[in-house]
Every structure is written in structure tokens, then in C-alpha cells.
């Protein structure tokens, strides 16, 4: 009997968008339900669906998987490795980049909130934001306009949201890092996900 997968997402949630992209990459059948974060009683609604009271959360029959990283790992296993590199050392590197994004870049997150539309270039960026931008550039220049590990995977799904976030503030990298940033933004799967996420 086929498993029933339901992804619970939140409106304007970047982590939900990442999980949705991973679901698409895994090519598994699933349904998607959205919660309007911030509206009246949303916390009570979310508490019934997510043990962490956060989105995204994936329901697989009676199994509940919360957190975007855990979801991506589960989907990789269920899809015969479609989200992570096959080679063990490359897979470890991919997990490192995912964990770094998941736990870090707090100055960018706080100082440059995610929006779907252009926001105009900030007149001044803090030293903390500039340092994080330098780190992103260092990571992205390795990929030089291609997907991170030769084919679209979880790393690209996670960093595509960051690429758009920065571009909407007029922050675009030069050289190889810039080519990767633009590659992610123009990625058809990401563009379709953005269109869907705007309707959540």
C-alpha cells in the first residue's frame, strides 16, 4: 500500500519553500496544506499538526517529520538518493553546506527579511552582513553557474531561496558566485515553486 505524504507549509515561510522544492526533486506524490502564519488562532492550528509548532512538517501516514533538514534527508532515502550526491565525501560536503545555512547567516536573515518582490538596495550593510555575504560568495563560486553537485539537489533547493532574497535587495555577486546565484533564480523548478508559494 502506497504511503500518503502530506506537507504542511506556512505562508511566507522560507523553510517551507525549501521543503516544497525538495518534495518536487524527490518526485514523490504528496498533498500540500498551508497555514497562514500570524493570523488568529494559527498557533493552535499548528500545534495539532507539528510537534515543534513550526513549519514545515511532513506527515507520512502516522509518521511526523518536522524540520526542513530532516525532511530532506527522509526524502533522499525514499527517492533512491535524488537529493544528495551518491559519493560519500560529496554527500558529507553537501550536508555541511546545508547545516551551515540551516544554523547560520543570522545577520542576513534579520537584516534582510525575505520578500517575493524587489525591496531596493540597502544604503548600508552591517559588518556582520558583509562577512556572511563573503562566506556565501566563497561557497557559491565553487559551483560556477551549475548545480552544486552536477545535478539539482537539496543544496540548490536550500540556497535558491537565499539567492532570491539577496537579489531582491539588489545584492548580486560577481563572477562564478554570481553565475550560480542567477542559475538558481532562473531555475524553472524554483520559479514554479515561487508561483505556488505566493498562493499559500
Amino acid at each position: 500500500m502506497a504511503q500518503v505524504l502530506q506537507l504542511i507549509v506556512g505562508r511566507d515561510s522560507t523553510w517551507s519553500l525549501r521543503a516544497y522544492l525538495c518534495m518536487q526533486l524527490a518526485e514523490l506524490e504528496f498533498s500540500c496544506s498551508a497555514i497562514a502564519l500570524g493570523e488568529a488562532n494559527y498557533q493552535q492550528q499548528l500545534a495539532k499538526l507539528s510537534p515543534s509548532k513550526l513549519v514545515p512538517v511532513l506527515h507520512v501516514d502516522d509518521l511526523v517529520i518536522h524540520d526542513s533538514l530532516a525532511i530532506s534527508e527522509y526524502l533522499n532515502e525514499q527517492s533512491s538518493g535524488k537529493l544528495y550526491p551518491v559519493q560519500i565525501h560529496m554527500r558529507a560536503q553537501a550536508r555541511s553546506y546545508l547545516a551551515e545555512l540551516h544554523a547560520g547567516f543570522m545577520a542576513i536573515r534579520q537584516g534582510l527579511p525575505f520578500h517575493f518582490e524587489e525591496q531596493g538596495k540597502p544604503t548600508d550593510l552591517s559588518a556582520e552582513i558583509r562577512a556572511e555575504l563573503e562566506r556565501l560568495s566563497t561557497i557559491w563560486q565553487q559551483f560556477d553557474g551549475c548545480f552544486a553537485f552536477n545535478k539539482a539537489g537539496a543544496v540548490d533547493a536550500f540556497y535558491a531561496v537565499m539567492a532570491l532574497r539577496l537579489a531582491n535587495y539588489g545584492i548580486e555577486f560577481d563572477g562564478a558566485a554570481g553565475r550560480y546565484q542567477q542559475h538558481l533564480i532562473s531555475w524553472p523548478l524554483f520559479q514554479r515553486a515561487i508561483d505556488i508559494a505566493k498562493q499559500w
Side-chain angles (χ1 to χ4, degrees), residues 25 62 64 141 198:
L25 286 170
D62 295 329
V64 179
Q141 65 186 343
K198 287 178 179 179

Side-chain angles (χ1 to χ4, degrees), residues 38 181 194:
Q181 182 183 15
I194 287 290

Side-chain angles (χ1 to χ4, degrees), residues 3-70:
Q3 293 179 319
V4 177
L5 282 70
Q6 182 187 26
L7 181 67
I8 312 299
V9 299
R11 186 179 299 169
D12 298 326
S13 163
T14 58
W15 296 107
S16 293
L17 181 54
R18 291 175 171 107
Y20 181 85
L21 271 169
C22 287
M23 296 292 298
Q24 294 292 326
L25 286 170
E27 299 181 336
L28 300 173
E29 290 189 15
F30 71 101
S31 63
C32 186
S33 300
I35 293 177
L37 304 179
E39 292 191 358
N41 300 320
Y42 89 92
Q43 290 179 322
Q44 293 91 325
Q45 183 183 4
L46 191 54
K48 297 176 183 177
L49 299 168
S50 174
S52 65
K53 299 182 182 178
L54 297 171
V55 286
V57 59
L58 178 64
H59 289 223
V60 185
D61 296 331
D62 295 329
L63 175 66
V64 179
I65 307 166
H66 63 281
D67 189 87
S68 53
L69 270 181

Side-chain angles (χ1 to χ4, degrees), residues 70-149:
I71 291 170
S72 72
E73 291 278 0
Y74 176 81
L75 294 174
N76 187 63
E77 294 175 355
Q78 292 298 308
S79 63
S80 302
K82 289 183 179 178
L83 275 72
Y84 287 78
V86 174
Q87 298 87 346
I88 188 169
H89 68 284
M90 294 177 68
R91 192 161 65 250
Q93 188 174 40
R95 287 182 170 128
S96 295
Y97 291 141
L98 289 169
E100 183 175 359
L101 176 62
H102 191 265
F105 300 103
M106 297 305 298
I108 290 176
R109 290 196 224 174
Q110 294 170 4
L112 304 171
F114 180 82
H115 297 277
F116 286 116
E117 310 301 334
E118 293 183 5
Q119 300 299 302
K121 194 163 188 176
T123 55
D124 188 37
L125 295 174
S126 69
E128 291 78 10
I129 290 177
R130 291 183 183 278
E132 291 180 2
L133 290 174
E134 182 65 28
R135 174 55 184 159
L136 276 173
S137 178
T138 299
I139 296 172
W140 290 359
Q141 65 186 343
Q142 302 173 78
F143 309 137
D144 196 9
C146 301
F147 289 119
F149 294 93

Side-chain angles (χ1 to χ4, degrees), residues 182-195:
Q182 294 306 316
H183 181 69
L184 293 182
I185 292 171
S186 61
W187 181 16
L189 188 68
F190 182 50
Q191 287 295 321
R192 290 195 296 272
I194 287 290
D195 290 340

